[in-house]
mmCIF file of all heavy atoms in Angstrom:
data_model
loop_
_atom_site.group_PDB
_atom_site.id
_atom_site.type_symbol
_atom_site.label_atom_id
_atom_site.label_comp_id
_atom_site.label_asym_id
_atom_site.label_seq_id
_atom_site.Cartn_x
_atom_site.Cartn_y
_atom_site.Cartn_z
ATOM 1 N N THR A 1 10.580 -6.880 -5.339
ATOM 2 C CA THR A 1 10.241 -6.574 -6.710
ATOM 3 C C THR A 1 9.016 -5.668 -6.839
ATOM 4 O O THR A 1 8.248 -5.504 -5.791
ATOM 5 C CB THR A 1 9.961 -7.913 -7.531
ATOM 6 O OG1 THR A 1 8.796 -8.549 -6.902
ATOM 7 C CG2 THR A 1 11.146 -8.771 -7.448
ATOM 8 N N ASN A 2 8.746 -5.141 -8.061
ATOM 9 C CA ASN A 2 7.548 -4.177 -8.197
ATOM 10 C C ASN A 2 6.425 -4.871 -7.856
ATOM 11 O O ASN A 2 5.407 -4.407 -7.176
ATOM 12 C CB ASN A 2 7.550 -3.804 -9.658
ATOM 13 C CG ASN A 2 8.717 -2.954 -10.060
ATOM 14 O OD1 ASN A 2 9.454 -2.484 -9.258
ATOM 15 N ND2 ASN A 2 8.818 -2.646 -11.379
ATOM 16 N N LYS A 3 6.183 -6.254 -8.367
ATOM 17 C CA LYS A 3 5.053 -6.943 -8.138
ATOM 18 C C LYS A 3 4.827 -7.231 -6.687
ATOM 19 O O LYS A 3 3.560 -7.109 -6.251
ATOM 20 C CB LYS A 3 5.163 -8.379 -8.842
ATOM 21 C CG LYS A 3 5.186 -8.308 -10.333
ATOM 22 C CD LYS A 3 3.954 -8.005 -10.960
ATOM 23 C CE LYS A 3 4.050 -8.043 -12.448
ATOM 24 N NZ LYS A 3 2.851 -7.539 -13.132
ATOM 25 N N ALA A 4 5.716 -7.467 -5.934
ATOM 26 C CA ALA A 4 5.637 -7.805 -4.471
ATOM 27 C C ALA A 4 5.143 -6.425 -3.777
ATOM 28 O O ALA A 4 4.246 -6.501 -2.886
ATOM 29 C CB ALA A 4 6.911 -8.227 -3.878
ATOM 30 N N ARG A 5 5.652 -5.331 -4.081
ATOM 31 C CA ARG A 5 5.339 -4.106 -3.380
ATOM 32 C C ARG A 5 3.819 -3.702 -3.957
ATOM 33 O O ARG A 5 2.968 -3.270 -3.074
ATOM 34 C CB ARG A 5 6.261 -2.887 -3.951
ATOM 35 C CG ARG A 5 7.615 -2.932 -3.396
ATOM 36 C CD ARG A 5 8.349 -1.668 -3.679
ATOM 37 N NE ARG A 5 8.242 -1.165 -5.003
ATOM 38 C CZ ARG A 5 9.125 -1.361 -6.078
ATOM 39 N NH1 ARG A 5 10.153 -2.186 -5.902
ATOM 40 N NH2 ARG A 5 8.835 -0.826 -7.185
ATOM 41 N N GLN A 6 3.432 -3.822 -5.247
ATOM 42 C CA GLN A 6 2.140 -3.583 -5.613
ATOM 43 C C GLN A 6 1.123 -4.505 -4.877
ATOM 44 O O GLN A 6 0.077 -4.211 -4.630
ATOM 45 C CB GLN A 6 2.125 -3.813 -7.104
ATOM 46 C CG GLN A 6 2.904 -2.679 -7.781
ATOM 47 C CD GLN A 6 3.184 -2.921 -9.245
ATOM 48 O OE1 GLN A 6 2.632 -3.870 -9.864
ATOM 49 N NE2 GLN A 6 4.043 -2.100 -9.895
ATOM 50 N N LYS A 7 1.577 -5.810 -4.717
ATOM 51 C CA LYS A 7 0.640 -6.845 -4.086
ATOM 52 C C LYS A 7 0.482 -6.379 -2.642
ATOM 53 O O LYS A 7 -0.627 -6.477 -2.091
ATOM 54 C CB LYS A 7 1.260 -8.202 -4.163
ATOM 55 C CG LYS A 7 0.529 -9.233 -3.542
ATOM 56 C CD LYS A 7 -0.599 -9.662 -4.312
ATOM 57 C CE LYS A 7 -1.325 -10.970 -3.842
ATOM 58 N NZ LYS A 7 -2.678 -11.128 -4.369
ATOM 59 N N TRP A 8 1.617 -5.937 -2.008
ATOM 60 C CA TRP A 8 1.409 -5.400 -0.647
ATOM 61 C C TRP A 8 0.474 -4.243 -0.548
ATOM 62 O O TRP A 8 -0.439 -4.213 0.394
ATOM 63 C CB TRP A 8 2.802 -4.994 -0.100
ATOM 64 C CG TRP A 8 2.699 -4.544 1.301
ATOM 65 C CD1 TRP A 8 2.706 -5.272 2.441
ATOM 66 C CD2 TRP A 8 2.720 -3.099 1.665
ATOM 67 N NE1 TRP A 8 2.581 -4.347 3.607
ATOM 68 C CE2 TRP A 8 2.643 -3.123 3.046
ATOM 69 C CE3 TRP A 8 2.671 -1.990 1.019
ATOM 70 C CZ2 TRP A 8 2.462 -1.867 3.894
ATOM 71 C CZ3 TRP A 8 2.543 -0.671 1.676
ATOM 72 C CH2 TRP A 8 2.475 -0.720 3.057
ATOM 73 N N LEU A 9 0.562 -3.270 -1.532
ATOM 74 C CA LEU A 9 -0.330 -2.114 -1.340
ATOM 75 C C LEU A 9 -1.761 -2.597 -1.707
ATOM 76 O O LEU A 9 -2.636 -2.063 -1.066
ATOM 77 C CB LEU A 9 0.165 -1.208 -2.499
ATOM 78 C CG LEU A 9 1.018 0.128 -2.097
ATOM 79 C CD1 LEU A 9 1.389 0.895 -3.356
ATOM 80 C CD2 LEU A 9 0.266 0.893 -1.219
ATOM 81 N N PHE A 10 -1.882 -3.485 -2.620
ATOM 82 C CA PHE A 10 -3.182 -4.030 -3.022
ATOM 83 C C PHE A 10 -3.869 -4.640 -1.795
ATOM 84 O O PHE A 10 -5.025 -4.360 -1.445
ATOM 85 C CB PHE A 10 -3.137 -5.116 -4.019
ATOM 86 C CG PHE A 10 -4.341 -5.853 -4.397
ATOM 87 C CD1 PHE A 10 -5.487 -5.241 -4.926
ATOM 88 C CD2 PHE A 10 -4.478 -7.236 -4.012
ATOM 89 C CE1 PHE A 10 -6.580 -5.946 -5.268
ATOM 90 C CE2 PHE A 10 -5.612 -7.956 -4.260
ATOM 91 C CZ PHE A 10 -6.737 -7.259 -4.816
ATOM 92 N N GLU A 11 -3.233 -5.451 -1.129
ATOM 93 C CA GLU A 11 -3.667 -6.030 0.216
ATOM 94 C C GLU A 11 -3.968 -5.036 1.225
ATOM 95 O O GLU A 11 -4.951 -5.166 1.976
ATOM 96 C CB GLU A 11 -2.730 -7.172 0.690
ATOM 97 C CG GLU A 11 -2.435 -8.449 -0.160
ATOM 98 C CD GLU A 11 -3.683 -9.204 -0.438
ATOM 99 O OE1 GLU A 11 -4.668 -9.257 0.544
ATOM 100 O OE2 GLU A 11 -3.851 -9.755 -1.527
ATOM 101 N N LEU A 12 -3.223 -4.055 1.279
ATOM 102 C CA LEU A 12 -3.427 -2.984 2.286
ATOM 103 C C LEU A 12 -4.703 -2.240 1.883
ATOM 104 O O LEU A 12 -5.535 -1.984 2.818
ATOM 105 C CB LEU A 12 -2.272 -2.068 2.281
ATOM 106 C CG LEU A 12 -2.473 -0.713 3.153
ATOM 107 C CD1 LEU A 12 -2.275 -1.004 4.654
ATOM 108 C CD2 LEU A 12 -1.340 0.308 2.814
ATOM 109 N N LEU A 13 -4.940 -1.931 0.705
ATOM 110 C CA LEU A 13 -6.129 -1.318 0.290
ATOM 111 C C LEU A 13 -7.323 -2.123 0.440
ATOM 112 O O LEU A 13 -8.438 -1.666 0.695
ATOM 113 C CB LEU A 13 -5.960 -0.754 -1.152
ATOM 114 C CG LEU A 13 -4.998 0.294 -1.403
ATOM 115 C CD1 LEU A 13 -4.711 0.635 -2.881
ATOM 116 C CD2 LEU A 13 -5.421 1.580 -0.658
ATOM 117 N N LYS A 14 -7.225 -3.380 0.176
ATOM 118 C CA LYS A 14 -8.380 -4.367 0.453
ATOM 119 C C LYS A 14 -8.688 -4.421 1.937
ATOM 120 O O LYS A 14 -9.875 -4.337 2.284
ATOM 121 C CB LYS A 14 -7.947 -5.781 0.005
ATOM 122 C CG LYS A 14 -8.396 -6.103 -1.301
ATOM 123 C CD LYS A 14 -8.065 -7.477 -1.940
ATOM 124 C CE LYS A 14 -8.144 -8.641 -0.982
ATOM 125 N NZ LYS A 14 -7.735 -9.827 -1.490
ATOM 126 N N LYS A 15 -7.572 -4.463 2.702
ATOM 127 C CA LYS A 15 -7.781 -4.621 4.226
ATOM 128 C C LYS A 15 -8.305 -3.221 4.851
ATOM 129 O O LYS A 15 -9.183 -3.323 5.740
ATOM 130 C CB LYS A 15 -6.484 -5.093 4.805
ATOM 131 C CG LYS A 15 -6.590 -5.290 6.365
ATOM 132 C CD LYS A 15 -5.282 -5.860 6.856
ATOM 133 C CE LYS A 15 -4.194 -4.789 6.771
ATOM 134 N NZ LYS A 15 -3.021 -5.187 7.450
ATOM 135 N N GLU A 16 -7.834 -2.207 4.313
ATOM 136 C CA GLU A 16 -8.201 -0.875 4.787
ATOM 137 C C GLU A 16 -8.898 0.000 3.752
ATOM 138 O O GLU A 16 -8.069 0.805 3.132
ATOM 139 C CB GLU A 16 -7.065 -0.117 5.597
ATOM 140 C CG GLU A 16 -6.356 -0.847 6.546
ATOM 141 C CD GLU A 16 -5.199 -0.279 7.188
ATOM 142 O OE1 GLU A 16 -5.022 0.986 7.034
ATOM 143 O OE2 GLU A 16 -4.303 -0.988 7.729
ATOM 144 N N PRO A 17 -10.157 -0.180 3.373
ATOM 145 C CA PRO A 17 -10.601 0.573 2.272
ATOM 146 C C PRO A 17 -10.709 2.046 2.420
ATOM 147 O O PRO A 17 -10.603 2.763 1.427
ATOM 148 C CB PRO A 17 -12.156 0.036 2.219
ATOM 149 C CG PRO A 17 -12.212 -1.083 3.041
ATOM 150 C CD PRO A 17 -11.081 -1.036 4.019
ATOM 151 N N ALA A 18 -10.592 2.507 3.748
ATOM 152 C CA ALA A 18 -10.614 4.039 3.977
ATOM 153 C C ALA A 18 -9.198 4.571 3.952
ATOM 154 O O ALA A 18 -8.995 5.785 4.234
ATOM 155 C CB ALA A 18 -11.304 4.338 5.191
ATOM 156 N N CYS A 19 -8.138 3.768 3.618
ATOM 157 C CA CYS A 19 -6.755 4.125 3.668
ATOM 158 C C CYS A 19 -6.570 5.285 2.678
ATOM 159 O O CYS A 19 -6.748 5.078 1.454
ATOM 160 C CB CYS A 19 -5.848 2.944 3.363
ATOM 161 S SG CYS A 19 -4.053 3.291 3.565
ATOM 162 N N THR A 20 -5.917 6.355 3.081
ATOM 163 C CA THR A 20 -5.635 7.506 2.239
ATOM 164 C C THR A 20 -4.277 7.260 1.537
ATOM 165 O O THR A 20 -3.384 6.558 1.973
ATOM 166 C CB THR A 20 -5.610 8.761 3.045
ATOM 167 O OG1 THR A 20 -4.501 8.722 3.881
ATOM 168 C CG2 THR A 20 -6.933 9.044 3.748
ATOM 169 N N TYR A 21 -4.054 8.175 0.566
ATOM 170 C CA TYR A 21 -2.806 8.239 -0.234
ATOM 171 C C TYR A 21 -1.585 8.517 0.805
ATOM 172 O O TYR A 21 -0.570 7.728 0.809
ATOM 173 C CB TYR A 21 -2.817 9.236 -1.308
ATOM 174 C CG TYR A 21 -1.530 9.462 -1.945
ATOM 175 C CD1 TYR A 21 -1.277 8.680 -3.164
ATOM 176 C CD2 TYR A 21 -0.650 10.343 -1.646
ATOM 177 C CE1 TYR A 21 0.009 8.914 -3.855
ATOM 178 C CE2 TYR A 21 0.523 10.662 -2.300
ATOM 179 C CZ TYR A 21 0.780 9.883 -3.345
ATOM 180 O OH TYR A 21 2.054 10.042 -4.089
ATOM 181 N N LEU A 22 -1.750 9.362 1.693
ATOM 182 C CA LEU A 22 -0.698 9.880 2.589
ATOM 183 C C LEU A 22 -0.442 8.731 3.570
ATOM 184 O O LEU A 22 0.697 8.369 3.821
ATOM 185 C CB LEU A 22 -1.232 11.172 3.264
ATOM 186 C CG LEU A 22 -0.052 11.874 3.958
ATOM 187 C CD1 LEU A 22 1.083 12.246 3.023
ATOM 188 C CD2 LEU A 22 -0.550 13.186 4.545
ATOM 189 N N ASN A 23 -1.432 8.168 4.062
ATOM 190 C CA ASN A 23 -1.302 7.094 5.092
ATOM 191 C C ASN A 23 -0.657 5.892 4.539
ATOM 192 O O ASN A 23 0.258 5.269 5.040
ATOM 193 C CB ASN A 23 -2.704 6.789 5.606
ATOM 194 C CG ASN A 23 -2.706 5.842 6.783
ATOM 195 O OD1 ASN A 23 -1.617 5.581 7.412
ATOM 196 N ND2 ASN A 23 -3.733 5.421 7.306
ATOM 197 N N ALA A 24 -1.005 5.479 3.181
ATOM 198 C CA ALA A 24 -0.455 4.385 2.574
ATOM 199 C C ALA A 24 1.084 4.736 2.278
ATOM 200 O O ALA A 24 1.845 3.876 2.441
ATOM 201 C CB ALA A 24 -1.152 4.027 1.308
ATOM 202 N N PHE A 25 1.315 5.951 1.818
ATOM 203 C CA PHE A 25 2.692 6.359 1.632
ATOM 204 C C PHE A 25 3.554 6.207 2.809
ATOM 205 O O PHE A 25 4.746 5.699 2.643
ATOM 206 C CB PHE A 25 2.792 7.718 0.916
ATOM 207 C CG PHE A 25 4.182 8.219 0.630
ATOM 208 C CD1 PHE A 25 4.875 7.598 -0.250
ATOM 209 C CD2 PHE A 25 4.762 9.355 1.408
ATOM 210 C CE1 PHE A 25 6.237 7.999 -0.575
ATOM 211 C CE2 PHE A 25 5.947 9.636 1.103
ATOM 212 C CZ PHE A 25 6.833 8.935 0.295
ATOM 213 N N HIS A 26 3.102 6.675 3.986
ATOM 214 C CA HIS A 26 4.013 6.548 5.208
ATOM 215 C C HIS A 26 4.188 5.089 5.562
ATOM 216 O O HIS A 26 5.356 4.690 5.812
ATOM 217 C CB HIS A 26 3.235 7.193 6.361
ATOM 218 C CG HIS A 26 3.274 8.680 6.305
ATOM 219 N ND1 HIS A 26 4.346 9.449 6.277
ATOM 220 C CD2 HIS A 26 2.265 9.591 6.275
ATOM 221 C CE1 HIS A 26 4.100 10.702 6.188
ATOM 222 N NE2 HIS A 26 2.776 10.817 6.238
ATOM 223 N N GLN A 27 3.275 4.201 5.357
ATOM 224 C CA GLN A 27 3.457 2.665 5.697
ATOM 225 C C GLN A 27 4.499 2.116 4.659
ATOM 226 O O GLN A 27 5.257 1.318 4.973
ATOM 227 C CB GLN A 27 2.101 1.974 5.642
ATOM 228 C CG GLN A 27 1.243 2.414 6.809
ATOM 229 C CD GLN A 27 -0.088 1.580 6.797
ATOM 230 O OE1 GLN A 27 0.006 0.355 6.602
ATOM 231 N NE2 GLN A 27 -1.254 2.236 7.085
ATOM 232 N N TYR A 28 4.155 2.578 3.394
ATOM 233 C CA TYR A 28 5.130 2.111 2.232
ATOM 234 C C TYR A 28 6.485 2.492 2.479
ATOM 235 O O TYR A 28 7.450 1.757 2.342
ATOM 236 C CB TYR A 28 4.454 2.725 1.007
ATOM 237 C CG TYR A 28 5.163 2.247 -0.392
ATOM 238 C CD1 TYR A 28 4.924 1.131 -1.039
ATOM 239 C CD2 TYR A 28 6.346 3.149 -0.736
ATOM 240 C CE1 TYR A 28 5.589 0.819 -2.277
ATOM 241 C CE2 TYR A 28 6.956 2.736 -2.028
ATOM 242 C CZ TYR A 28 6.567 1.636 -2.624
ATOM 243 O OH TYR A 28 7.183 1.294 -3.789
ATOM 244 N N LYS A 29 6.682 3.722 2.898
ATOM 245 C CA LYS A 29 8.024 4.362 3.089
ATOM 246 C C LYS A 29 8.735 3.537 4.176
ATOM 247 O O LYS A 29 9.901 3.351 4.091
ATOM 248 C CB LYS A 29 7.892 5.875 3.330
ATOM 249 C CG LYS A 29 9.274 6.632 3.540
ATOM 250 C CD LYS A 29 9.752 6.832 2.134
ATOM 251 C CE LYS A 29 10.939 7.831 2.186
ATOM 252 N NZ LYS A 29 11.880 7.654 1.124
#
């Protein structure tokens, strides 16, 4: 669901504060 994906991204950004848009997109993809 949207909420689960957003939660996963939120946790990724919390865990890795220096995570870039491109890096996050590759992991998300």
Side-chain angles (χ1 to χ4, degrees):
T1 64
N2 294 353
K3 296 281 185 199
R5 290 191 318 266
Q6 291 163 12
K7 181 75 171 164
W8 177 84
L9 259 176
F10 170 71
E11 293 299 328
L12 174 70
L13 293 172
K14 261 178 42 178
K15 186 172 66 173
E16 300 175 29
C19 185
T20 64
Y21 174 89
L22 195 56
N23 194 4
F25 177 63
H26 286 301
Q27 292 182 44
Y28 180 89
K29 187 79 170 153

